[in-house]
Amino acid sequence: NAGVTQTPKFQVLKTGQSMTLQCAQDMNHEYMSWYRQDPGMGLRLIHYSVGAGITDQGEVPNGYNVSRSTTEDFPLRLLSAAPSQTSVYFCASKPGTYNYGYTFGSGTRLTVV
Amino acid sequence: AQSVAQPEDQVNVAEGNPLTVKCTYSVSGNPYLFWYVQYPNRGLQFLLKYITGDNLVKGSYGFEAEFNKSQTSFHLKKPSALVSDSALYFCAVSRSNAGKSTFGDGTTLTVKP
């Protein structure tokens, strides 16, 4: 049981490049979310999904796209990377039937230069 | 809208002493409240939750939290701190069974021998 798997763990991008952060969970969780963590700002919600085919915006969605074609996968796409997107990104999932806490991945540390 | 405030950036306690990490929240309707812990270079781990019922909730690693509706607070407590409890602690709130949780900015707990 791997839980929530994020790849890559580290990435350096040049301004303007695009990339996809991968997130997969094997717990059959309905809810999945992407957060970014910046020093002194806690975790801020980027996008979330309550099930396959359903996504919605969080607090800071600009510059990011998501899709949820399967229950297991929830990739986050950076369309045109900017230095302001330098951050640690966490994917998380939880069941939809009860309000359990989230299970988090180990994070992706992204640097945009 | 929903929000969480963790008024202390840093809490320092001596090993063996009781600890409290404070959290206040704002949400419409009944709150679903959570505490998470983050160790260095790791993802967040779920500690405990309040959904309904008893105001004192017990969680992992000997932690507990007290829900106070009139003060809109959900403080994390432990009767006797360990050096290994040193970490970053996050409080989170969600409204009903919605998928998105709002996190506080985090409190760094340092337990000194």
Side-chain angles (χ1 to χ4, degrees):
Chain A
N1 189 345
V4 178
T5 302
Q6 290 184 240
T7 56
K9 293 189 181 303
F10 301 94
Q11 184 70 47
V12 178
L13 286 179
K14 294 182 178 179
T15 298
Q17 286 184 318
S18 63
M19 78 160 295
T20 299
L21 307 186
Q22 301 291 344
C23 175
Q25 53 94 5
D26 60 359
M27 299 170 284
N28 202 33
H29 286 172
E30 289 88 344
Y31 293 159
M32 295 187 75
S33 295
W34 276 102
Y35 288 89
R36 59 177 288 174
Q37 183 178 24
D38 301 293
M41 301 184 74
L43 276 78
R44 292 181 291 170
L45 181 65
I46 305 171
H47 286 285
Y48 68 103
S49 169
V50 298
I54 305 169
T55 63
D56 205 349
Q57 296 181 350
E59 305 170 60
V60 289
N62 292 340
Y64 307 95
N65 274 356
V66 292
S67 61
R68 185 101 180 265
S69 57
T70 67
T71 299
E72 295 78 18
D73 300 303
F74 191 43
L76 178 72
R77 281 181 285 278
L78 279 71
L79 308 173
S80 178
S84 60
Q85 293 179 304
T86 294
S87 188
V88 181
Y89 291 84
F90 287 102
C91 180
S93 73
K94 67 174 183 174
T97 52
Y98 294 93
N99 220 335
Y100 290 104
Y102 273 106
T103 299
F104 279 81
S106 57
T108 295
R109 186 174 295 273
L110 176 68
T111 301
V112 182
V113 297
Chain B
Q2 56 195 40
S3 65
V4 171
Q6 294 183 239
E8 301 157 315
D9 291 336
Q10 179 96 26
V11 171
N12 298 312
V13 298
E15 188 174 31
N17 283 0
L19 69 87
T20 298
V21 182
K22 296 180 180 178
C23 170
T24 59
Y25 67 90
S26 174
V27 68
S28 57
N30 293 323
Y32 289 63
L33 296 157
F34 306 85
W35 276 101
Y36 294 84
V37 60
Q38 184 180 32
Y39 298 101
N41 300 313
R42 303 284 296 276
L44 280 71
Q45 298 176 31
F46 169 72
L47 273 181
L48 52 79
K49 69 180 186 294
Y50 171 83
I51 305 298
T52 186
D54 290 340
N55 290 342
L56 186 64
V57 177
K58 294 188 182 298
S60 306
Y61 313 121
F63 283 94
E64 56 192 26
E66 187 171 12
F67 172 67
N68 187 316
K69 187 173 183 178
S70 63
Q71 297 184 2
T72 62
S73 67
F74 188 57
H75 300 332
L76 181 70
K77 303 185 179 198
K78 187 173 184 181
S80 179
L82 300 172
V83 172
S84 57
D85 292 330
S86 299
L88 182 58
Y89 290 81
F90 289 96
C91 182
V93 66
S94 66
R95 181 172 55 84
S96 184
N97 201 30
K100 59 177 184 178
S101 291
T102 299
F103 285 76
D105 290 344
T107 299
T108 299
L109 172 68
T110 302
V111 182
K112 297 183 178 178

